[in-house]
Amino acid sequence: QVQLVESGGGLVQAGDSLRLSCVASGLSFTAEDMGWFRQAPGKAREFVAAISSSGSTYYVDSVKGRFTISRASVKNTVYLQMNSLKPEDTAVYYCARILNIGQRTYDYRGQGTQVTVSS
């Protein structure tokens, strides 16, 4: 079955950087669109970034210029490089297999990794 395992979260200060990783198994990774979502306490889960199987990238406006999504097909891994972190980036971040990249929907996600940004 599809498994997505995130890592790399932590507690950082505003302005710091983090790189999240997601190792995927049980799917044809090179053929899949992959993405990251996040959910802050008391808020709905929101789309953060996606990368198509061909390498096209998509971002929510609030992270453009600060976050970069990438993938390493030989490692079945998708990354989210997060720079210039802000307290409002605090959330649980989930890796997901994208179902429809245009509609920002997914069908499988991991357990999540906590990112906390202090001011």
Side-chain angles (χ1 to χ4, degrees):
Q1 71 272 21
V2 176
Q3 285 193 316
L4 302 168
V5 180
E6 305 95 335
S7 62
L11 172 62
V12 297
Q13 294 187 331
D16 286 350
S17 299
L18 278 175
R19 189 176 81 157
L20 305 183
S21 300
C22 170
V23 179
S25 60
L27 48 74
S28 299
F29 184 78
T30 55
E32 303 285 2
D33 299 336
M34 302 296 295
W36 291 92
F37 293 75
R38 67 186 179 186
Q39 187 165 18
K43 295 189 177 181
R45 192 169 299 146
E46 69 166 345
F47 168 80
V48 176
I51 185 166
S52 72
S53 58
S54 62
S56 298
T57 57
Y58 307 81
Y59 299 94
V60 67
D61 286 347
S62 60
V63 308
K64 284 180 181 177
R66 300 189 298 122
F67 290 13
T68 302
I69 188 170
S70 61
R71 62 195 298 160
S73 295
V74 293
K75 296 182 178 180
N76 276 19
T77 301
V78 61
Y79 302 100
L80 186 67
Q81 177 67 43
M82 305 186 295
N83 298 330
S84 302
L85 282 160
K86 303 176 181 180
E88 51 263 44
D89 295 319
T90 294
V92 177
Y93 283 71
Y94 299 92
C95 173
R97 185 176 77 169
I98 298 293
L99 190 60
N100 186 307
I101 205 165
Q103 295 178 1
R104 312 293 198 248
T105 57
Y106 65 88
D107 56 357
Y108 290 97
R109 65 167 176 85
Q111 291 299 305
T113 185
Q114 176 71 47
V115 172
T116 303
V117 185
S118 63
S119 56

